[in-house]
Amino acid sequence: MLFDLFWSFFKVGLFTFGGGYAMIPLLQAELVERKKWLEEKEIMDYYSIGQCTPGIIAVNVSTFTGYKLAGIKGAVFATLGIVTPSIIIILSIAKTINLFIDNTYMEHAFNGIRIVVIALIFDVIIKMWQKNIKTKIQMLIFIISLLIALWFSASPVWVVIGAAFVGLLLTRK
Amino acid sequence: MMSALFLEFFKIGLFALGGGMVTVPFLFELSDKYSWFSSQELVDMIAIAESSPGPIGVNMATYAGFKTSGILGGLVATFGLVLPSLIIIILIAKVLEKYKDSDFFKRLMYAIHPAVIALILNAGTEIGKLVLINTWAISICILFWGAIHFIKLHPILYIILGGIIGIALKL
């Protein structure tokens, strides 16, 4: 189990290009659909909490998932899994890094990959939308959050905290 | 030296809230405070961290640590960065185990999920503005989306395919 966890997160780390948001499609495919370790909703929970707790989102989500599946050891192995590809790749190319930045093939490959990452993210957004936004209140929170993020480039932390307050007020019994 | 490196990155892991790029201002501060790396080198680091696989924040830490004191530095900085997350998230996860079925937690997530989806959409749009710059890129993106949506292969395969297509079409 621990090695399985490490390996799944290693794969996610190896193919995450960009920030924490870029790992969501991979997490869903690997942890929800392939391994059936988590429910879709749980990933949303972990991502939501990981976004407003200290640290890199990707690491937070990995630690969370690992802990849920196999306790503290699980948390450590999942976190090791997510950072190991970075460590191996960065340390092995660090000395000759300019060869990679200036390499036109790499540039073309990354441009292609970025397009795919966007397609993957939008697909995940559609799925999340269908499963998580069901009421008018939720629709309202979605629209207001989006406008605040777009117009004021507010920190995600404040958007999440603000939504939490508004939500608790509106769902008061 | 190693303990300073560890401490500085532990601090970043503790105080950087959010995505990988939030580590950048902290690293600029480090370039001022120590002679580990220059701010010019930092600009290169950002380019590398963004274009190699793995979470950007982790890549930044590994590379900055390497610049400072070689392979051991890379390991120490990365370990320092993730340790606060490990501790804090394990504590939160323990609490969550107890309360995840509570009415309060459900109400909280009822409101937070839509906000998080909006934030992901916003991040996707930001990147989209930089990448979907011509009709070529837009059509490829739509084609990929169709494939992703209707033929459910592992995202890794699409990412590899995207790299190959990028090289083949000189994107």
Side-chain angles (χ1 to χ4, degrees), chain B residues 46-62:
Chain B
I46 297 171
I48 290 154
E50 281 196 306
S51 58
S52 45
I56 295 174
V58 178
N59 290 345
M60 293 285 284
T62 309

Side-chain angles (χ1 to χ4, degrees), chain A residues 134-155:
Chain A
K134 289 183 172 150
T135 65
K136 278 185 188 148
I137 292 177
Q138 287 183 310
M139 182 69 129
L140 191 69
I141 294 174
F142 172 83
I143 293 170
I144 293 172
S145 305
L146 187 63
L147 292 179
I148 289 174
L150 279 173
W151 287 340
F152 303 106
S153 1
S155 161

Side-chain angles (χ1 to χ4, degrees), chain A residues 117-163:
Chain A
V117 169
I118 291 170
L120 285 167
I121 291 171
F122 280 107
D123 192 51
V124 152
I125 292 171
I126 294 171
K127 279 191 218 159
M128 287 177 162
W129 172 285
Q130 288 168 341
K131 289 199 178 154
N132 291 290
I133 300 184
K134 289 183 172 150
T135 65
K136 278 185 188 148
I137 292 177
Q138 287 183 310
M139 182 69 129
L140 191 69
I141 294 174
F142 172 83
I143 293 170
I144 293 172
S145 305
L146 187 63
L147 292 179
I148 289 174
L150 279 173
W151 287 340
F152 303 106
S153 1
S155 161
V157 182
W158 294 116
V159 176
V160 171
I161 293 174

Side-chain angles (χ1 to χ4, degrees), chain A:
Chain A
M1 176 70 187
L2 289 178
F3 181 77
D4 255 16
L5 255 178
F6 176 86
W7 181 236
S8 280
F9 278 93
F10 184 93
K11 282 196 280 183
V12 172
L14 189 58
F15 287 96
T16 294
F17 289 86
Y21 54 86
M23 80 189 284
I24 301 176
L26 291 160
L27 284 175
Q28 291 219 323
E30 187 64 26
L31 305 178
V32 179
E33 276 153 38
R34 221 178 127 244
K35 296 281 189 182
K36 311 216 183 303
W37 281 338
L38 291 181
E39 288 170 42
E40 187 131 3
K41 199 180 97 14
E42 289 176 289
I43 291 203
M44 282 293 290
D45 289 350
Y46 297 165
Y47 193 81
S48 305
I49 298 169
Q51 189 133 46
C52 44
T53 45
I56 309 293
I57 297 175
V59 175
N60 291 347
V61 175
S62 311
T63 308
F64 241 127
T65 311
Y67 182 84
K68 143 102 209 247
L69 295 171
I72 291 178
K73 272 189 201 159
V76 172
F77 272 80
T79 305
L80 282 178
I82 199 90
V83 301
T84 304
S86 292
I87 291 176
I88 295 174
I89 291 167
I90 298 279
L91 292 186
S92 53
I93 63 173
K95 280 198 176 154
T96 49
I97 215 123
N98 291 326
L99 288 177
F100 290 88
I101 304 188
D102 301 332
N103 184 308
T104 47
Y105 286 107
M106 295 292 280
E107 217 181 293
H108 293 319
F110 281 122
N111 288 337
I113 288 172
R114 287 197 191 101
I115 293 176
V116 174
V117 169
I118 291 170
L120 285 167
I121 291 171
F122 280 107
D123 192 51
V124 152
I125 292 171
I126 294 171
K127 279 191 218 159
M128 287 177 162
W129 172 285
Q130 288 168 341
K131 289 199 178 154
N132 291 290
I133 300 184
K134 289 183 172 150
T135 65
K136 278 185 188 148
I137 292 177
Q138 287 183 310
M139 182 69 129
L140 191 69
I141 294 174
F142 172 83
I143 293 170
I144 293 172
S145 305
L146 187 63
L147 292 179
I148 289 174
L150 279 173
W151 287 340
F152 303 106
S153 1
S155 161
V157 182
W158 294 116
V159 176
V160 171
I161 293 174
F165 271 110
V166 172
L168 287 177
L169 277 178
L170 292 178
T171 56
R172 216 170 21 169
K173 276 162 199 159

Side-chain angles (χ1 to χ4, degrees), chain B residues 101-118:
Chain B
D101 296 318
S102 71
D103 183 53
F104 181 79
F105 183 72
K106 281 185 187 149
R107 278 166 62 207
L108 208 56
M109 284 304 156
Y110 170 87
I112 290 178
H113 284 173
V116 168
I117 298 171

